[in-house]
């Protein structure tokens, strides 16, 4: 009896502590108003209405409470509510705002909007400082919907979401919520603790919704999307925007609010369009209602994104603070139409709090224990924005579906459907899954891995693997083997692999490999199999040079402490020379194939190496200075710090070999740095250096080879690890070397301003490359190119003009970049 009484008292206290005022907000015609900003006067306790106009706000004490209802385009409503029962229902009707022009003194010599924006820019530092340090509670809800989903894409069945789609092939793909506590200090110090996380249809799910990812501060010059988007009150805003004064209105406190229309000067640039509302006396932001297209923020898959923010005022400390934010988007590609909305509510602000010294660390986000195990009753009391009927239904539907999906009967039935074998699978590949026991057997067919080279002729490659996964810990064990057959060489080779990932906290990974394979002399594989196949068969340019390696190797790597990675590897290998075995070509001409000897391409009888054996080991250390991270129960997610470079040090040593001359030591280092230059683009820097010791007689395989390119085809997003016109093995060295690569991508800063060319939505890329080795004049390349070229939403092309110099001008050429080629390797 005593236990029941205590339980009852606890329930009563909880209910009193979080007494709810709920209701609905409509216009004078009865239409629901979504995302109305609602807050308790002179507090930071607030919420917003959902898509159906419904709201709930938690009140901690009984008595009279004044609620403020703000909605852009409507008169602010102040409602006194008496909390004497649980819950209290209040329905609000809002009237359209009468926005007048007479409230602002108009200077006939200037656009009044310009003067207001100038004052907002002048005062933004002071206004931003008022919210420069705080703690707050944060709530986020995200939803993705699909509409009229196609049944096939590029001839392949599209049935991943059939179980959640209705008869029109529409439905919710993703729904999640988070509740967290945040501590923030300008400019970028943040600590976020996720108190609760909920993902529809996944009782073990952790939502990625968080405050750090959506900290869009219009007092800053730029907003962090795929590119830096210029704020309408940035220091340089008048270079990007025009403004129109739409009128003004007064708040419940008789504060004058100016409505300013924001118009891009050039719609091809990373700018927004819509309205910004500015408080007249201190020129703080009252509200944001702005739109940007996917092309403007260089995310072509998104058609349109709408960002809205509402600010509330506290007369006690005279601070305007952002308390609600919504992001709506429409996206689509390959016939898939998506739309979604993210809703964010900030409450219980405490400004200038006492922050302990160790609050801000590299860990910027963490989860409380069992954050993803909260009951529905918890969410019902803490959720500031009520669920819509659609969202409530989705939770129920997917919870039932999840229970069903976990059953062995269901999983076996799904596997039976997907495990059906078709004759075409012999070429394309096949997978057999046991979803209940979390294992699969995968066969990679030769269809996309068949290639041609002059050593093996037509080369067919296929593989089979077994994978066992732990989905909760996101770890796996994989055992596999691949088989390679050269038709002209008439030889089959095979390799095996065992890989185990221990955890996702320090990313400990072990792998054991072995077998017989054909390898390029440059282990970085600068020539892709597809590009070499085309180059060889159609142009008789067989640039790929190969040798045979019979080997066994082991690798182990992990993060020792945050930002410091250590990889170790040891390998025993037998290296053997190979020779051309075919002169087959598709396009007949009188040119001869070069030999397989990279040191003497005209000699078909000699090789670049003699058969030998050796054992070598290497240690690699990588330092990501200032690395931040998110800590979740299922892993650690690292976030590079753009303020610092990544430094890599490596040491390689031969432990034993057929002859003493094959033994050597190599010490090398690398510095990578990428920096964003405001809205003027990104600059990438890659510096590499190394020194061999006791290496006079080593095998050509072990030389330092540089990533040249003679095919005029680029295959990566960035060219900071390649020389675009350097012959592949012309500068190989067993002494010391230094190479530097610098590339600047303007992200459209210049191209978006040029007549006609701006409609390409392309990016100007400038590059410089330098290579220095002993007994050879330094080699340089200069390049200028256009990236982000393509058709519609498919931006996968890049074109560069490159000139090379070595004691004067050497040559020039055009490089055609095709970014998806590596997918076929």
């Amino acid at each position: 009896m005593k236990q029941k009484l205590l339980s009852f008292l606890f329930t009563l206290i909880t209910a009193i502590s979080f007494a709810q005022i709920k209701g609905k907000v409509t216009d004078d015609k009865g239409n629901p108003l979504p995302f109305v900003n609602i807050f308790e006067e002179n507090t930071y306790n607030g919420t917003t209405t959902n898509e159906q106009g419904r709201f709930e706000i938690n009140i901690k004490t009984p008595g009279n409470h004044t609620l403020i209802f703000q909605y852009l385009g409507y008169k602010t409503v102040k409602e006194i509510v008496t909390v004497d029962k649980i819950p209290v229902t209040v329905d609000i009707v809002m009237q359209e705002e009468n926005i007048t022009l007479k409230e602002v003194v108009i200077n006939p010599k200037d656009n009044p909007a310009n003067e207001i924006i100038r004052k907002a820019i002048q005062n933004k530092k002071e206004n931003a400082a008022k919210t420069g340090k705080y703690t707050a509670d944060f709530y986020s809800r995200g939803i993705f919907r699909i509409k009229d989903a196609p049944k096939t894409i590029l001839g392949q069945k599209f049935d991943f979401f059939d179980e959640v789609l209705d008869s029109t092939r529409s439905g919710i793909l993703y729904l999640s919520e988070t509740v967290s506590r945040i501590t923030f200090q300008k400019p970028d110090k943040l600590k976020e603790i996720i108190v609760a996380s909920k993902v529809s249809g996944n009782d073990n799910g952790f939502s990625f919704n968080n405050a750090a990812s959506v900290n869009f501060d219009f007092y800053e010059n730029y907003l962090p999307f795929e590119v830096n988007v210029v704020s309408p009150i940035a220091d340089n805003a008048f270079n990007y925007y025009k403004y129109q004064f739409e009128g003004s209105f007064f708040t419940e406190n008789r504060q004058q609010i100016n409505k300013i229309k924001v118009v891009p000067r050039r719609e091809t640039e990373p700018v927004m369009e819509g309205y910004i509302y500015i408080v007249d006396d201190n020129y703080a932001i009252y509200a944001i209602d702005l739109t940007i297209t996917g092309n403007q923020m260089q995310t072509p898959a998104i058609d349109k994104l709408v960002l809205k923010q509402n600010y509330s005022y506290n007369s006690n400390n005279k601070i305007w603070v952002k308390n609600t934010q919504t992001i709506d988007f429409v996206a689509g590609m390959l016939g898939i139409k998506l739309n979604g909305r993210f809703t964010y509510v900030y409450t219980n602000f405490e400004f200038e709090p006492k922050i302990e010294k160790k609050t801000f660390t590299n860990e910027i986000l963490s989860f409380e224990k069992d954050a993803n195990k909260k009951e529905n009753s918890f969410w019902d009391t803490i959720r500031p924005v009520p669920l819509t009927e659609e969202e409530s239904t989705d939770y129920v539907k997917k919870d039932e579906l999840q229970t069903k999906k976990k059953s062995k009967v269901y999983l076996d039935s799904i596997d039976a459907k997907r495990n059906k074998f078709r004759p075409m699978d012999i070429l394309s590949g096949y997978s057999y899954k046991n979803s209940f026991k979390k294992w699969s057997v995968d066969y990679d067919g030769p269809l996309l891995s068949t290639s041609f080279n002059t050593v093996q002729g037509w080369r067919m490659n296929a593989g089979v693997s077994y994978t066992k996964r732990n989905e909760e810990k996101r770890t796996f064990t994989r055992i596999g083997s691949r088989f390679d057959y050269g038709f002209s060489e008439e030889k089959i080779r095979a390799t095996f692999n065992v890989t185990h990932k221990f955890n996702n906290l320090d990313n400990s990974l072990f792998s054991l490999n072995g077998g017989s394979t054909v390898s390029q002399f440059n282990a970085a594989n600068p020539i892709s199999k597809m590009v070499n196949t085309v180059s060889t068969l159609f142009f008789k340019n067989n640039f790929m040079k190969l040798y045979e390696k019979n080997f066994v190797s082991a690798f182990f790597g992990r993060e020792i402490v945050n930002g410091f990675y250590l990889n170790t590897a040891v390998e025993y290998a037998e290296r053997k020379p190979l020779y051309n075995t075919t002169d087959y070509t598709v396009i007949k001409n009188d040119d001869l194939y070069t030999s397989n000897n990279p040191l003497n391409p005209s000699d078909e009888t000699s090789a670049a190496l003699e058969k030998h054996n050796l054992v070598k080991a290497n240690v690699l250390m990588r330092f990501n200075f200032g690395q931040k991270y998110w800590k979740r129960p299922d892993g650690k997610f690292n976030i590079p710090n753009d303020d610092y470079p990544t430094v890599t040090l490596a040491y390689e040593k031969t432990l034993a070999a057929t002859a003493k001359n094959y033994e050597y030591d190599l010490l090398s280092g690398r510095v990578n740095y990428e920096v964003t230059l405001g809205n003027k683009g990104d600059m990438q820097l890659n510096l590499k250096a190394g020194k061999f010791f006791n290496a006079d007689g080593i095998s050509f395989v072990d030389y330092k080879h540089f990533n040249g390119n003679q095919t005029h085809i680029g295959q990566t997003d960035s060219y900071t690890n390649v020389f675009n016109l350097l012959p592949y093995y012309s500068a190989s060295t067993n002494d010391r070397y230094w190479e530097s690569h610098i590339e600047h991508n303007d992200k459209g800063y210049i191209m978006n301003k040029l007549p006609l060319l701006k409609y390409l939505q392309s990016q100007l890329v400038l590059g410089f490359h330098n290579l220095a080795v002993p007994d050879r004049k330094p080699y340089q390349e200069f390049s200028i190119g256009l990236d982000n070229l393509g058709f519609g939403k498919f931006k996968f092309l890049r074109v560069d003009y490159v000139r090379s110099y070595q004691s004067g001008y050497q040559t020039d050429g055009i490089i055609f970049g095709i970014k998806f080629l590596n997918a076929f390797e």
Side-chain angles (χ1 to χ4, degrees):
M1 184 66 181
K2 185 176 180 180
Q3 185 177 4
K4 290 183 179 180
L5 179 60
L6 289 173
S7 178
F8 171 76
L9 290 174
F10 175 79
T11 303
L12 181 61
I13 292 170
T14 302
I16 292 173
S17 300
F18 296 96
Q20 285 184 333
I21 299 175
K22 59 172 58 178
K24 186 175 183 179
V25 183
T26 61
D27 62 15
D28 54 8
K29 297 178 182 178
N31 299 313
L33 297 179
F35 307 112
V36 176
N37 187 28
I38 306 166
F39 58 95
E40 189 178 0
E41 188 177 39
N42 294 329
T43 74
Y44 295 110
N45 179 28
T47 186
T48 184
T49 56
N50 65 19
E51 294 175 63
Q52 297 168 338
R54 299 194 176 277
F55 73 94
E56 295 177 1
I57 185 168
N58 293 321
I59 301 297
K60 297 182 179 180
T61 59
N64 294 332
H65 295 266
T66 301
L67 299 185
I68 308 298
F69 295 79
Q70 289 178 183
Y71 192 63
L72 296 181
Y74 287 76
K75 293 179 180 179
T76 299
V77 174
K78 179 186 288 190
E79 185 79 8
I80 299 176
V81 181
T82 301
V83 177
D84 56 1
K85 60 181 180 178
I86 302 171
V88 178
T89 301
V90 177
D91 292 332
I92 301 296
V93 177
M94 302 188 74
Q95 305 292 328
E96 288 190 24
E97 181 66 71
N98 294 320
I99 298 178
T100 60
L101 287 171
K102 64 182 179 181
E103 305 298 346
V104 170
V105 177
I106 298 178
N107 181 351
K109 296 182 180 180
D110 195 7
N111 177 351
N114 290 349
E115 183 62 23
I116 294 169
I117 294 297
R118 288 192 188 100
K119 290 288 183 65
I121 294 173
Q122 291 171 8
N123 287 273
K124 69 176 184 175
K125 185 176 181 179
E126 180 181 347
N127 286 321
K130 293 178 181 179
T131 57
K133 184 167 70 172
Y134 62 81
T135 61
D137 293 335
F138 175 76
Y139 169 80
S140 171
R141 180 152 83 232
I143 184 171
F144 290 176
R145 303 182 186 89
I146 191 169
K147 185 176 181 181
D148 302 325
K151 294 184 178 180
T152 60
I153 296 179
L154 299 177
Q156 299 297 312
K157 186 179 291 186
F158 183 67
D159 59 357
F160 298 106
F161 308 110
D162 282 0
E163 291 173 313
V164 299
L165 302 183
D166 59 23
S167 59
T168 66
R169 295 190 61 75
S170 303
I172 295 177
L173 299 184
Y174 175 80
L175 173 62
S176 71
E177 299 175 272
T178 60
V179 175
S180 62
R181 294 191 298 269
I182 57 177
T183 303
F184 178 77
Q185 181 175 320
K186 281 182 177 290
D188 58 1
K189 292 181 178 179
L190 178 72
K191 178 68 174 180
E192 181 171 8
I193 301 174
I194 303 293
V195 177
S197 176
K198 184 179 179 71
V199 179
S200 182
N202 187 349
D203 60 9
N204 195 43
F206 295 96
S207 171
F208 277 94
N209 300 351
N210 62 80
S213 301
V214 294
N215 186 27
F216 298 113
D217 186 352
F218 282 84
Y219 289 121
E220 297 291 335
N221 288 327
Y222 306 108
L223 307 174
F225 289 94
E226 180 64 26
V227 293
N228 277 341
V229 174
V230 181
S231 167
I233 56 172
D235 293 339
N236 58 347
F238 282 96
N239 295 331
Y240 294 90
Y241 294 104
K242 296 181 289 185
Y243 304 93
Q244 298 175 14
F245 178 65
E246 297 279 305
S248 64
F249 58 91
F250 288 88
T251 70
E252 73 285 353
N253 294 317
R254 300 304 298 165
Q255 294 163 303
Q256 184 172 318
I257 308 300
N258 300 305
K259 182 181 181 182
I260 308 296
K261 186 175 183 179
V262 178
V263 181
R265 290 187 178 275
R266 294 167 294 274
E267 293 186 355
T268 52
E269 294 189 300
V271 290
M272 310 184 84
E273 182 174 6
Y275 297 94
I276 183 170
Y277 296 77
I278 302 295
V279 183
D280 192 66
D281 58 349
N282 59 8
Y283 298 94
I285 297 174
Y286 171 83
I288 295 290
D289 185 359
L290 294 169
T291 300
I292 187 170
T293 66
N295 285 333
Q296 287 172 318
M297 58 182 176
Q298 297 185 10
T299 310
I302 294 179
D303 297 326
K304 181 176 69 173
L305 183 146
V306 181
L307 175 60
K308 295 182 180 181
Q309 293 180 347
N310 286 290
Y311 291 66
S312 61
Y313 181 72
N314 190 319
S315 59
N316 294 328
N317 54 23
K318 303 186 185 314
I319 294 177
W320 286 92
V321 63
K322 178 178 66 180
N323 63 336
T324 62
Q325 176 176 283
T326 61
I327 298 175
D328 293 82
F329 70 89
V330 178
M333 186 174 284
L334 296 174
I336 299 175
K337 302 174 185 177
L338 297 173
N339 68 77
R341 172 175 286 123
F342 284 88
T343 304
Y344 310 100
V345 178
Y346 302 80
T347 57
N348 300 323
F349 282 93
E350 181 183 344
F351 295 104
E352 297 298 326
K354 293 182 179 179
I355 299 177
E356 295 182 6
K357 291 184 178 180
K358 295 184 179 180
T359 297
F360 298 116
T361 63
N362 289 325
E363 182 183 274
I364 59 177
L365 182 146
S366 61
F367 281 70
E368 284 190 350
K369 184 179 179 181
D370 296 328
N372 64 330
K373 304 295 184 184
K374 304 295 185 183
E375 298 291 339
N376 289 336
S377 57
F378 169 87
W379 287 98
D380 291 340
T381 59
I382 204 169
R383 181 185 289 122
V385 184
L387 297 173
T388 64
E389 292 179 8
E390 178 191 32
E391 291 164 341
S392 296
T393 301
D394 187 72
Y395 273 130
V396 174
K397 176 183 176 180
K398 286 184 179 170
D399 284 349
E400 293 175 351
L401 185 59
Q402 180 185 222
T403 302
K404 175 183 174 183
K405 282 184 173 182
K406 287 184 175 181
S407 70
K408 186 176 186 302
V409 173
Y410 173 83
L411 292 173
D412 287 348
S413 67
I414 294 297
D415 288 343
K417 178 182 177 181
R418 294 181 177 174
N419 289 343
K420 287 182 179 179
F421 179 81
R422 301 169 183 83
M424 186 62 185
D425 293 342
I426 297 174
L427 296 177
S428 62
Y430 172 74
S431 292
Y432 183 91
K433 294 183 179 180
N434 187 318
S435 299
F436 185 75
K437 295 184 177 181
K438 312 301 182 189
W439 61 263
S440 65
V441 175
D442 299 286
Y443 161 70
D444 297 325
L447 184 63
L448 296 179
S449 59
T450 296
S451 61
F452 181 87
N453 62 68
T454 54
V455 169
Q456 296 173 286
W458 282 105
R459 167 188 171 273
M460 186 174 69
N461 187 280
V464 63
S465 63
Y466 166 85
T467 305
K468 174 73 173 179
R469 297 185 180 277
N470 184 324
E471 294 179 354
E472 184 172 335
K473 295 182 178 179
R474 297 175 60 242
T475 60
F476 67 89
T477 300
R478 179 177 295 120
I479 302 172
S481 182
R482 298 198 68 84
F483 303 89
D484 185 290
Y485 181 74
F487 285 88
S488 175
E489 190 187 25
E490 296 182 346
K491 185 170 183 177
I492 188 171
R493 296 179 177 86
T495 58
F496 71 89
N497 168 266
V498 178
T499 303
H500 178 69
K501 187 170 187 179
F502 293 91
N503 64 69
N504 267 320
L505 295 176
D506 59 23
N507 284 310
S508 296
L509 184 74
F510 171 79
S511 68
L512 180 67
N513 301 271
S516 179
T517 186
V518 170
S519 300
Q520 294 187 47
F521 281 88
N522 184 347
N525 297 322
I527 315 169
S528 77
K529 298 180 181 68
M530 176 179 284
V531 170
N532 183 72
T533 298
V534 174
S535 174
T536 303
L537 292 178
F538 291 89
F539 304 99
K540 268 198 168 179
N541 291 323
N542 58 324
F543 296 123
M544 184 182 285
K545 306 303 176 185
L546 305 166
Y547 72 97
E548 180 175 289
K549 182 169 74 170
N550 304 307
F551 73 103
V552 60
S553 66
F555 167 90
F556 179 75
R558 61 163 293 185
E559 185 180 35
I560 305 300
V561 296
N562 180 55
F564 172 43
Y565 297 81
L566 180 66
N567 299 335
T568 60
V570 62
E571 177 185 82
Y572 163 77
E574 177 192 58
R575 284 92 163 263
K576 298 169 64 175
L578 295 173
Y579 301 88
N580 288 344
T581 63
T582 179
D583 59 359
Y584 174 78
T585 183
V586 172
I587 305 298
K588 303 296 182 182
N589 59 54
D590 295 332
D591 294 338
L592 299 176
Y593 280 128
T594 58
S595 74
N596 190 49
N597 185 344
L599 297 175
N600 192 352
S602 63
D603 188 350
E604 287 284 359
T605 60
S606 65
L609 78 159
E610 296 180 353
K611 177 183 175 182
H612 65 279
N613 298 25
L614 58 71
V615 176
K616 67 176 180 179
N618 63 68
V619 177
L620 181 146
M621 296 176 290
R622 186 172 75 250
F623 303 87
N624 290 337
F625 297 105
Q627 176 179 275
K628 307 294 184 181
Y629 63 91
W630 298 349
K631 185 78 169 290
R632 302 194 340 171
D634 61 344
K636 177 172 177 276
F637 298 84
N638 297 319
I639 304 171
N641 191 325
D642 294 340
D643 294 334
Y644 302 97
T646 296
V647 176
T648 304
L649 299 175
Y651 175 64
E652 184 171 282
K653 180 178 181 60
T654 303
L655 304 176
T658 302
K660 194 70 176 178
N661 61 285
Y662 288 115
E663 298 180 10
Y664 67 93
D665 297 82
L666 170 62
L667 184 64
S668 61
R670 179 173 178 170
V671 176
N672 292 91
Y673 185 54
E674 182 173 352
V675 59
T676 298
L677 305 174
N679 67 325
K680 298 173 180 61
D682 296 337
M683 179 170 288
Q684 289 181 294
L685 177 70
N686 184 9
L687 308 176
K688 294 192 280 187
K691 177 69 173 76
F692 285 86
F693 299 91
N694 307 313
D696 291 342
I698 67 173
S699 168
F700 187 67
V701 173
D702 296 310
Y703 275 48
K704 172 61 182 177
H705 305 293
F706 303 97
N707 296 331
N709 186 4
Q710 293 172 265
T711 66
H712 294 273
I713 299 295
Q715 301 170 63
T716 57
D717 291 343
S718 167
Y719 293 164
T720 53
N721 198 35
V722 64
F723 296 95
N724 284 302
L725 297 178
L726 179 72
Y728 294 104
Y729 298 101
S730 61
S732 299
T733 183
N734 62 342
D735 194 343
R736 62 185 182 275
Y737 64 89
W738 164 265
E739 60 177 305
S740 56
H741 307 266
I742 304 173
E743 188 170 277
H744 179 258
N745 186 321
D746 84 326
K747 291 295 184 179
Y749 176 73
I750 295 174
M751 296 303 300
N752 290 337
K753 297 178 175 63
L754 301 179
L756 297 180
L757 290 177
K758 63 184 180 181
Y759 297 109
L760 291 175
Q761 291 287 293
S762 61
Q763 302 162 355
L764 178 67
V765 185
L766 303 176
F768 170 74
H769 309 265
N770 178 74
L771 174 63
V773 296
D775 305 321
R776 193 176 190 271
K777 296 292 185 180
Y779 173 86
Q780 294 95 25
E781 289 181 356
F782 299 86
S783 64
I784 181 170
L786 292 180
D787 198 0
N788 204 45
L789 299 172
F791 310 95
K793 296 185 177 184
F794 298 93
K795 303 288 188 177
F796 57 88
L797 299 175
R798 171 175 169 174
V799 179
D800 290 77
Y801 172 69
V802 185
R803 291 176 68 90
S804 65
Y805 294 83
Q806 191 173 15
S807 295
Y809 168 74
Q810 289 291 305
T811 187
D812 63 357
I814 303 295
I815 304 298
F816 297 92
I818 306 175
K819 299 178 184 178
F820 62 79
L821 280 179
N822 284 339
F824 295 95
E825 292 302 307

